[in-house]
Amino acid sequence: MPTSYAQKPLLGKLSLTSHLSVETGLHIGGGGENLDIGGLDKPVIRDPLTKYPYLPGSSIKGKLRSTLERLLNKPLNRTGGSGTWRYESDDLVNGFTEVEEGRFIAYEGASTCQISRLFGSTGGSKFWMPIEAAREEGLLENNSPTQTIQGQNCVRINRGRNAPARLIIRDSHLLPDSAAKLKQVDTGLYMTEWKFENGIDRVTAAANPRQLERVPAGSKFQFELVYTVEDKDQAVEDLQNIAIALAILEDDALGGHGSRGYGKVRFQNFEFSYRSLAQYRQITNTPAGTSGLQPLESIANTQALLDNFGSLRDYIEQRVLPGNES
């Protein structure tokens, strides 16, 4: 695979913060370290310093990614271990994944794919690409096998190129007021609740009880994501996809056992701000208090975000167009 010496573009960073409210008990597991008689089967994940429960950014990001893959009807072309499948671009340009001998699935290159450019993708191995595209990208190697796939003359590529994610989702930690309330909870667990469940054998009626730990309904976390603007023509579409994914998440569930009532969440009090590359460069040369971000007016909830997406579109377009960077 040829080495690229060209730097990726950076136009600016857009930050979004919100309050994530838990409306039904939520479980994101942390893995049990001890086996105690009468103890929890599935504890929640906790901050190792404060012992507060928190929501890992990886869990929220994974949920948003899988949601968008379904929304955009992306095919499943990459194994994820333990018999799971997901979608991922094998390279920056279009091609075909050979999911089993002689069976090919077309993927969209990460430079344009709405999933891979937002969440990132790792280059695939032994996938196929139209010969002309491989030649233009410098990926054509001598003696590589060729064949016709879906009417296109293709060549096998040994290793594809990675696409770093534009989207960062931070770990979500409890808001101070919510943490103070949870410290008063008297359940025998620190800041959380027990959820007892019971599986019944349909023939013998034997019971299989289990105890799960949940973050109680009413808890509120600080949610934050950062979007790196690399292409002004793709920024609005990416942000629109994020807004839709957040809306779908509200109608779905976060964490485990969503079909049994766990993990209903709501996003409230959206705050947006954007800092251009020019602002980062000038940040140490401006008077104190004048280098701050120019926030967009607060948006109350996800429905209002969707209803007023035009104002966010205008906010972004006004700041990433040439001449409006500062």
Side-chain angles (χ1 to χ4, degrees), residues 291-304:
S291 64
L293 306 176
Q294 300 176 23
L296 180 71
E297 186 176 350
S298 298
I299 298 175
N301 52 46
T302 307
Q303 185 59 56

Side-chain angles (χ1 to χ4, degrees), residues 59-231:
S59 297
I60 303 173
K61 187 178 179 184
K63 183 67 179 184
L64 295 179
R65 178 173 187 143
S66 64
T67 296
L68 276 182
E69 286 179 8
R70 295 183 70 180
L71 176 71
L72 300 173
N73 195 28
K74 292 294 184 183
L76 304 178
N77 67 334
R78 187 78 68 87
T79 56
S82 302
T84 61
W85 285 81
R86 67 184 191 278
Y87 170 79
E88 204 158 331
S89 301
D90 281 338
D91 189 70
L92 302 180
V93 300
N94 299 351
F96 300 91
T97 306
E98 189 170 7
V99 292
E100 56 184 274
E101 187 174 357
R103 184 170 183 181
F104 303 94
I105 291 180
Y107 71 82
E108 183 178 0
S111 59
T112 58
C113 174
Q114 296 176 48
I115 296 295
S116 296
R117 74 191 191 207
L118 194 55
F119 296 96
S121 63
T122 54
S125 60
K126 301 188 185 309
F127 61 99
W128 298 78
M129 181 180 293
I131 293 175
E132 191 59 34
R135 182 179 290 110
E136 291 176 359
E137 297 295 322
L139 300 175
L140 196 59
E141 298 179 4
N142 293 330
N143 303 320
S144 294
T146 62
Q147 67 171 305
T148 301
I149 303 174
Q150 298 181 15
Q152 300 186 68
N153 295 323
C154 295
V155 61
R156 196 174 72 183
I157 306 297
N158 287 325
R159 185 66 187 172
R161 295 167 290 185
N162 297 340
R166 295 177 182 175
L167 183 63
I168 297 170
I169 296 185
R170 314 281 193 201
D171 290 345
S172 294
H173 293 278
L174 281 166
L175 294 173
D177 288 350
S178 191
K181 290 181 180 177
L182 289 180
K183 286 180 181 178
Q184 306 304 316
V185 171
D186 183 16
T187 62
L189 296 172
Y190 184 54
M191 304 178 77
T192 56
E193 66 180 11
W194 299 80
K195 176 67 167 60
F196 292 88
E197 299 186 350
N198 208 356
I200 304 295
D201 187 288
R202 300 301 188 267
V203 176
T204 67
N208 178 28
R210 54 184 179 270
Q211 300 84 38
L212 290 83
E213 187 179 24
R214 304 198 309 184
V215 175
S219 306
K220 293 187 177 182
F221 293 82
Q222 181 67 33
F223 173 75
E224 179 183 4
L225 66 79
V226 180
Y227 173 76
T228 300
V229 181
E230 298 180 357
D231 184 323

Side-chain angles (χ1 to χ4, degrees), residues 8 21 28 30 48 62 66 72 121 209 237 249 255 263 281 297-298 304 322-323:
K8 289 176 65 66
S21 299
I28 294 181
S66 64
L72 300 173
S121 63
E237 185 176 53
L249 174 55
R281 287 171 173 156
E297 186 176 350
S298 298

